[in-house]
Amino acid sequence: FDYDDDDDDDDTTVPQEESSSMMTSQEEESLSFYDSFESGDFSHYWRITSSSPSADLWEADQSAWAYDGTYAARAGVLSEPNSQSNLTISLGDIHSIRHGGYLTFAIHASVSKPVDLLTFAINDNVIRTFEEVTGDEGDWEEVSVLLHAGEHRLTWSYQYFGGMTSSVDPRRVGNSWVDAIKLRPFT
């Protein structure tokens, strides 16, 4: 994907120290941004929102089949039909990252439309929709997007619609995970 949007909406986030990663220091130095949630929380730059106060929110979870390190971001289990929870980061809030680059992240989606789905959006424009389980248990897919210069708000949304068609609730079989979010600057 190649993404360019001049949307200048600002989200408020609280900058904290960056998380540690399993990458070498040389690899980390070549990146504008990297997070594999190894701090065990979302205290730096991240915003977590939901459509209802009873929604189970995203969490940095150590019990994951992490793609990199021992933690990954896990979407919460939602039980209220037509609800969603969001994991959002505004790259412009991080050391003024606005120059663009090559964004990659790993995802394991355990979803089954029409019951639920997972989306990835940039500045509220959905770039990718995950409507079915990505591979077998523990399999990850790496997603890549080119970001042009500008401010970018990245959002991963887990949406639950209800209406299970079988006795097995796919939200209980597995979870959806995001990990190893990297932004390499253009050279």
Side-chain angles (χ1 to χ4, degrees):
F1 292 100
D2 186 6
Y3 185 79
D4 183 15
D5 185 5
D6 293 330
D7 186 358
D8 290 332
D9 292 344
D10 288 326
D11 285 332
T12 306
T13 57
V14 180
Q16 302 280 331
E17 62 190 65
E18 293 185 31
S19 68
S20 63
S21 71
M22 298 294 125
M23 299 178 67
T24 67
S25 59
Q26 183 178 10
E27 288 172 316
E28 277 193 65
E29 287 174 12
S30 70
L31 299 175
S32 298
F33 174 78
Y34 179 78
D35 200 345
S36 67
F37 309 103
E38 296 307 302
S39 65
D41 62 29
F42 297 114
S43 63
H44 51 284
Y45 309 111
W46 295 98
R47 286 189 41 216
I48 301 172
T49 58
S50 69
S51 60
S52 106
S54 64
D56 189 12
L57 300 174
W58 285 78
E59 61 183 77
D61 194 334
Q62 191 172 14
S63 65
W65 310 293
Y67 183 80
D68 183 29
T70 57
Y71 285 83
R74 179 182 57 81
V77 175
L78 303 177
S79 2
E80 186 177 316
N82 300 313
S83 59
Q84 75 178 46
S85 77
N86 307 305
L87 175 63
T88 302
I89 188 165
S90 292
L91 293 179
D93 293 340
I94 305 169
H95 310 295
S96 300
I97 295 176
R98 291 182 177 91
H99 50 74
Y102 186 66
L103 175 75
T104 61
F105 61 89
I107 193 153
H108 174 77
S110 182
V111 293
S112 181
K113 189 177 179 185
V115 175
D116 57 358
L117 61 82
L118 184 68
T119 61
F120 169 66
I122 301 173
N123 297 336
D124 299 323
N125 297 304
V126 174
I127 303 299
R128 181 83 186 265
T129 300
F130 302 89
E131 298 178 343
E132 60 188 25
V133 174
T134 54
D136 295 325
E137 184 175 315
D139 285 350
W140 289 84
E141 177 181 341
E142 195 165 282
V143 177
S144 302
V145 178
L146 289 178
L147 292 178
H148 290 276
E151 293 191 25
H152 300 289
R153 185 178 53 260
L154 313 177
T155 303
W156 291 264
S157 293
Y158 171 68
Q159 300 171 31
Y160 172 64
F161 303 109
M164 294 183 312
T165 57
S166 71
S167 61
V168 178
D169 186 341
R171 297 167 302 130
R172 306 282 183 220
V173 173
N175 287 298
S176 294
W177 308 87
V178 175
D179 202 6
I181 301 166
K182 305 175 200 175
L183 180 62
R184 277 191 206 288
F186 293 126
T187 55

